[in-house]
Amino acid sequence: MDGKKEPEESQDTTSAGADSATTAVPMEDTNPSSSTESGQTWSTEPGLLPGETVVREGKAAILFPSANEVFYNPVQEFNRDLTCAVITEFAREQLAQRGVRILVPGEKDRVVVRLSEENGTEDQEASEQPEKEQQNEEEGDKKEYITASVGERCEQGLRVLEGLAASGLRSVRFALEVPGLKSITANDYSAKAAALIARNAQHNNVSHILQASQRDASMVMYEARGKKERYDVIDLDPYGSPSPFLDAAVQAVSEGGLLCITCTDMAVMAGNSGETCYSKYGSMSIKSRYCHEMALRIILHSLDQRAAVYQRYIEPLLSVSVDFYIRVFVRVKTGQAVVKNSASKHALLYNCVGCGAFHLQRMGKKMSQGKHMKYSAATGPPVGPNCEHCRQRHQLGGPIWAEPIHDIKFVQKVLGAVSGNPTHFRTSKRIEGVLSMVTEELQDVPLYYVLDHLSSTVHCNTPPLLQFRSALLHAGYRVSLSHACKNAVKTDAPAGVLWDIIRCWEKSNPVKRERLSETSPAQHILSAAPTLQACFEIREDANPQSRKRHLTRFQENPQANWGPKARAKSGWVILLMLFC
């Protein structure tokens, strides 16, 4: 456990939040304030210690010992903005049941953002939502509601824990931007970091809500396992893997509480080290084009598996893969009957090393017998030793979470709040773009194919995305994009249909067959005649709304050499006071 580590190797250096993941750009000596390329403002103010500086993000102004020694990553502002938006909407739902109404600065009438044309049923529900909310408000006016504003302590509000707080930036932002909070515990193993957190709380006038804690994060959560001591929201944003903290987290979150988890060890989760991934998350990762969504499903599998030990289970609210990390928001609930379904929610993965075709095999199955459910082991495997399309071998990966990774109704509420209050966050446009794509994704279809990989497998020109999507729609299948990959094709069509469409496309864009090896995947795929005659005439519904509206769906490189950056060097740890 990290509690046994020496202070120089504390969780602040080895797993400090991604809030603090890079050395800041130094200030100009002649300018009292300057801005990074991501928009954060660095400044000096009267009353600071020598060499000390301030970074401003959102409503927070965070003290740092030196602009040249700041362990801080401005690229993660999107992560922090999204977290504030999600917790605000979660607080709105939870506190309404306690008779508390939250007040968000700048928020006017709730804007309902319609889903894509592919999800017509959700469109109808969304359009009816304002009437329901208005009716609920009219009924609520008859009751005595308590209002909660940002920066105020709410006795009926949520208790929040940030386990790996580093500078305390995230916690300070919660206190200043999320209404309806009773308390925030910003914990870090480093005594110097904890002291700086307390100073930042005082500097931002939120000491009445935010308390600094200097302890082992796991022990803080283990000691909060009692029903009355649990936290309503737990945020874990480590540098690298959160796996050492997951067991404690699923126990310390309240009934129906919110877990916010970040993973930045993407090399492990994306297949570069499958055995390491298995040791951390209980799942074998494999190299594949859908590795970013697979990473999301690996962490969800790990969370649900650990929760099930304590007769608890997870309900994913939002799962995103962005930049160099993944971020999941899940509810945790208790219920022995629901936990019995756990095996049927997870699946092994068979991936062809030649053409990339994949198949999922559920770990268990359930059957209805009158008023009761019967659970048994699943039958399989779903594939033979070799791929039926290219005759190459299969890799075995997983288990992974095979159920939906988003709660669309909840995502729709977050999207509506952000769209209706666009100046609330600096990254509002990107949040709107990503969440719009999330609402368009096929929720019951795990993983995706990548169009340029399909075409490169047979060495032909890549068909335009709209034409390929139209061909699938003409064939009677559903299709969507994915927020995790620009050229993703998420569809309920079997792999054979995809290859038939590629074969039809290759006829008008012929490949030089004489250059293909007799044993290559391309030769085997193209030598078979298509059983489906694809129609490439573009359909109107082939172009999703997020694409039509030209939303900011994917991050452009914000600065040179951006990413998770290197760990802090032991010796100065992170966020040290200038004189210690």
Side-chain angles (χ1 to χ4, degrees):
M1 292 177 60
D2 48 47
K4 297 181 179 179
K5 294 178 181 177
E6 296 297 325
E8 295 294 291
E9 299 179 357
S10 72
Q11 60 198 36
D12 295 309
T13 54
T14 62
S15 54
D19 299 344
S20 33
T22 187
T23 301
V25 179
M27 293 191 305
E28 297 290 337
D29 294 335
T30 59
N31 192 352
S33 64
S34 60
S35 298
T36 69
E37 296 182 32
S38 294
Q40 289 78 11
T41 302
W42 298 86
S43 65
T44 56
E45 297 179 357
L48 300 183
L49 297 175
E52 201 167 46
T53 189
V54 177
V55 61
R56 299 182 183 279
E57 181 183 288
K59 302 296 183 182
I62 303 299
L63 304 176
F64 284 113
S66 170
N68 293 316
E69 295 181 355
V70 174
F71 204 67
Y72 165 75
N73 196 344
V75 178
Q76 284 278 45
E77 184 178 10
F78 173 81
N79 184 327
R80 293 182 282 269
D81 284 354
L82 180 62
T83 302
C84 288
V86 169
I87 296 179
T88 298
E89 209 54 43
F90 177 77
R92 194 192 307 274
E93 287 187 0
Q94 294 294 105
L95 298 186
Q97 303 171 15
R98 307 179 190 179
V100 178
R101 180 178 297 166
I102 66 172
L103 302 177
V104 180
E107 187 174 83
K108 300 179 181 179
D109 295 335
R110 297 296 300 276
V111 175
V112 177
V113 179
R114 303 178 74 84
L115 300 185
S116 68
E117 297 169 1
E118 300 163 12
N119 298 328
T121 56
E122 294 289 345
D123 265 349
Q124 184 177 1
E125 291 182 10
S127 62
E128 295 173 354
Q129 192 67 21
E131 296 180 3
K132 294 179 180 179
E133 289 187 359
Q134 184 177 2
Q135 182 179 358
N136 292 337
E137 288 180 3
E138 291 176 355
E139 294 176 357
D141 289 339
K142 301 176 183 179
K143 304 176 183 179
E144 292 186 1
Y145 271 93
I146 299 172
T147 58
S149 302
V150 294
E152 296 179 357
R153 177 184 171 92
C154 177
E155 291 301 325
Q156 293 79 21
L158 305 181
R159 297 177 64 241
V160 180
L161 169 67
E162 185 185 4
L164 310 163
S167 67
L169 167 60
R170 188 174 298 245
S171 290
V172 170
R173 288 197 59 183
F174 291 164
L176 294 173
E177 300 176 35
V178 180
L181 302 184
K182 181 179 180 179
S183 66
I184 303 171
T185 301
N187 177 78
D188 204 285
Y189 193 80
S190 165
K192 294 176 181 178
L196 189 56
I197 292 170
R199 188 155 181 253
N200 277 319
Q202 184 177 11
H203 183 74
N204 288 271
N205 298 317
V206 292
S207 298
H208 59 294
I209 303 177
L210 195 160
Q211 295 81 41
S213 169
Q214 188 251 317
R215 299 192 58 196
D216 178 285
S218 293
M219 295 308 299
V220 171
M221 291 184 285
Y222 278 129
E223 292 179 4
R225 290 177 294 176
K227 291 185 178 181
K228 295 183 179 180
E229 290 79 32
R230 291 174 179 171
Y231 293 95
D232 298 294
V233 179
I234 295 179
D235 190 305
L236 296 175
D237 193 356
Y239 188 94
S241 173
S243 58
F245 311 103
L246 298 184
D247 181 77
V250 297
Q251 297 180 70
V253 69
S254 63
E255 183 64 21
L258 179 66
L259 274 184
C260 314
I261 308 291
T262 300
C263 304
T264 58
D265 54 336
M266 291 303 294
V268 169
M269 304 188 80
N272 284 356
S273 183
E275 67 283 357
T276 302
C277 184
Y278 187 83
S279 67
K280 290 183 176 182
Y281 302 103
S283 178
M284 179 67 71
S285 62
I286 55 178
K287 290 185 178 181
S288 59
R289 297 290 174 165
Y290 47 75
C291 61
H292 295 290
E293 183 177 327
M294 186 177 182
L296 289 170
R297 294 183 178 276
I298 286 174
I299 184 61
L300 292 175
H301 157 76
S302 185
L303 281 169
D304 190 65
Q305 191 175 52
R306 300 188 194 211
V309 174
Y310 308 102
Q311 299 300 301
R312 310 194 83 184
Y313 60 95
I314 67 167
E315 291 181 350
L317 296 180
L318 174 63
S319 309
V320 292
S321 172
V322 290
D323 301 332
F324 54 85
Y325 61 91
I326 58 174
R327 180 76 162 163
V328 297
F329 302 89
V330 302
R331 274 197 181 100
V332 180
K333 296 183 177 180
T334 306
Q336 184 177 8
V338 180
V339 171
K340 288 184 178 180
N341 295 328
S342 183
S344 62
K345 296 178 182 178
H346 304 266
L348 293 172
L349 176 67
Y350 292 86
N351 180 76
C352 173
V353 299
C355 67
F358 58 84
H359 302 267
L360 269 67
Q361 171 64 65
R362 299 274 179 160
M363 300 292 292
K365 64 179 181 179
K366 56 182 180 180
M367 297 177 293
S368 177
Q369 292 185 342
K371 297 182 180 180
H372 304 283
M373 296 294 296
K374 181 180 179 181
Y375 302 92
S376 62
T379 57
V383 294
N386 299 101
C387 176
E388 61 178 310
H389 308 294
C390 69
R391 302 181 189 178
Q392 300 294 310
R393 70 185 188 279
H394 286 106
Q395 283 180 314
L396 181 63
I400 62 173
W401 178 262
E403 294 293 296
I405 61 176
H406 315 291
D407 181 332
I408 293 301
K409 290 184 178 179
F410 181 84
V411 175
Q412 192 71 12
K413 292 178 181 179
V414 178
L415 177 56
V418 174
S419 301
N421 193 6
T423 60
H424 191 60
F425 301 114
R426 203 193 315 259
T427 63
S428 289
K429 288 185 177 180
R430 190 183 178 201
I431 293 176
E432 183 180 355
V434 171
L435 296 189
S436 294
M437 291 198 72
V438 164
T439 63
E440 295 168 347
E441 290 181 7
L442 293 177
Q443 300 304 309
D444 57 343
V445 178
L447 308 180
Y448 53 80
Y449 292 91
V450 179
L451 183 54
D452 51 0
H453 178 255
L454 293 174
S455 59
S456 66
T457 299
V458 297
H459 306 289
C460 73
N461 295 333
T462 303
L465 180 62
L466 292 186
Q467 287 188 261
F468 192 85
R469 285 170 56 90
S470 296
L472 285 166
L473 293 171
H474 282 302
Y477 297 98
R478 295 177 297 146
V479 61
S480 77
L481 300 177
S482 170
H483 78 279
C485 179
K486 284 186 178 181
N487 297 320
V489 177
K490 185 183 281 284
T491 178
D492 58 351
V497 171
L498 299 179
W499 289 125
D500 275 349
I501 294 175
I502 291 294
R503 292 185 186 105
C504 293
W505 176 260
E506 189 270 340
K507 287 183 178 180
S508 57
N509 299 270
V511 173
K512 294 182 178 180
R513 305 291 181 92
E514 64 274 10
R515 295 186 177 182
L516 300 179
S517 167
E518 291 296 324
T519 59
S520 67
Q523 184 65 260
H524 289 302
I525 291 171
L526 295 178
S527 61
T531 58
L532 168 73
Q533 295 303 316
C535 174
F536 292 99
E537 181 181 352
I538 295 179
R539 291 175 45 146
E540 180 65 24
D541 55 350
N543 197 14
Q545 292 296 318
S546 63
R547 196 169 182 268
K548 287 181 181 179
R549 295 166 58 194
H550 304 288
L551 298 178
T552 305
R553 301 176 299 164
F554 301 99
Q555 169 81 327
E556 296 179 359
N557 289 353
Q559 59 189 43
N561 303 316
W562 69 285
K565 307 302 181 184
R567 298 181 188 273
K569 297 179 180 179
S570 60
W572 51 278
V573 197
I574 58 172
L575 310 173
L576 301 185
M577 306 295 284
L578 185 63
F579 300 105
C580 11

